Amino acid sequence: MRDRVLAWLADNVPPPRLRHILGVEAMAVELADHHGLDAEKAAQAGLMHDLAKYFKPQKLLGMAREEGLEIDSVLEANPHLLHADVSAIVARDQFEVRDAEVLQAIRNHTLGRPAMSLLCCAVFVADSLEPSRGDTAELNAMRQVSRQNLYQAVWRTSDYSLGFLLETRQMIHPRTILTRNWALQLTALQGQKVTSPENRCISA
């Protein structure tokens, strides 16, 4: 199936995005191996997480409505946030993916979701921290955290992205905040040190 997906991606996303996708696939597998998760599921979710990234806004909205997804005011104003949900639809319908955890990891890679699985956390984090995102000391520190504690990595990458959204006065979806607070609370309950990195941009 991987060859089919790669051929489809070559026709539907530009080369820089394909490099990002392959980076997410590789980092998701690395994190899965490190944390004892299913590496094959991580690879599938990483490879297919951005299938709908370049769909037009009206197509994203139309497919989401047809699926019966709830579309709130933030999603209505920013349809690109639906690309994660729609990518899961494409994975299911175009590539016959039926594994619920893989589909959830694709669906949750942008906004996250409280109580999401560790596989979802791995793909969520890999999307923000794969190598093509940059090589700053801050990013490398968060990559190190991702190998130690996935929940801490979720809240730290959430803080990282939220800082950019606030700085540029962009709308923030409530689920992003709920995900961040959930991961922060879990980190605190685990007795992990809670420190926040200086904010920098990670584009979704």
Side-chain angles (χ1 to χ4, degrees):
M1 180 173 66
R2 187 173 187 272
D3 288 342
R4 285 176 56 212
V5 177
L6 287 172
W8 190 95
L9 287 168
D11 290 335
N12 287 277
V13 305
R17 178 56 50 167
L18 183 55
R19 285 195 295 273
H20 162 72
I21 289 168
L22 293 176
V24 173
E25 178 190 32
M27 186 169 183
V29 169
E30 176 192 343
L31 290 174
D33 285 337
H34 191 82
H35 293 285
L37 308 174
D38 190 313
E40 183 177 350
K41 290 184 180 184
Q44 288 185 354
L47 186 64
M48 291 186 275
H49 81 282
D50 268 353
L51 290 172
K53 181 68 176 180
Y54 289 90
F55 285 11
K56 300 293 186 184
Q58 288 309 309
K59 183 173 184 178
L60 291 169
L61 286 166
M63 291 181 68
R65 290 191 178 109
E66 186 176 346
E67 188 72 10
L69 301 179
E70 181 181 354
I71 301 175
D72 58 29
S73 60
V74 179
L75 295 174
E76 188 80 44
N78 300 272
H80 68 277
L81 293 175
L82 288 165
H83 82 271
D85 288 291
V86 175
S87 291
I89 296 170
V90 177
R92 182 193 68 199
D93 296 348
Q94 181 78 25
F95 298 106
E96 298 86 41
V97 176
R98 296 292 180 262
D99 188 286
E101 194 173 15
V102 171
L103 294 174
Q104 287 168 2
I106 296 170
R107 191 176 298 121
N108 292 329
H109 84 267
T110 297
L111 301 178
R113 185 177 298 277
M116 63 183 176
S117 71
L118 281 173
L119 181 68
C120 289
C121 291
V123 176
F124 179 91
V125 168
D127 183 47
S128 293
L129 299 181
E130 60 86 14
S132 74
R133 292 299 198 187
D135 193 34
T136 66
E138 184 178 3
L139 285 168
N140 286 327
M142 286 191 287
R143 289 173 183 131
Q144 183 61 36
V145 167
S146 74
R147 298 178 183 96
Q148 299 167 353
N149 187 299
L150 280 172
Y151 296 129
Q152 185 173 175
V154 167
W155 78 255
R156 288 188 65 167
T157 55
S158 295
D159 275 6
Y160 193 80
S161 297
L162 283 167
F164 170 73
L165 295 173
L166 289 167
E167 185 178 322
T168 55
R169 298 180 175 85
Q170 296 188 47
M171 296 181 76
I172 296 172
H173 195 278
R175 210 170 88 203
T176 303
I177 298 171
L178 292 172
T179 299
R180 180 262 184 192
N181 288 346
W182 163 75
L184 176 62
Q185 185 176 36
L186 280 180
T187 299
L189 288 172
Q190 293 171 342
Q192 298 290 323
K193 184 178 180 182
V194 176
T195 57
S196 181
E198 181 183 357
N199 291 320
R200 290 290 186 273
C201 167
I202 297 179
S203 57

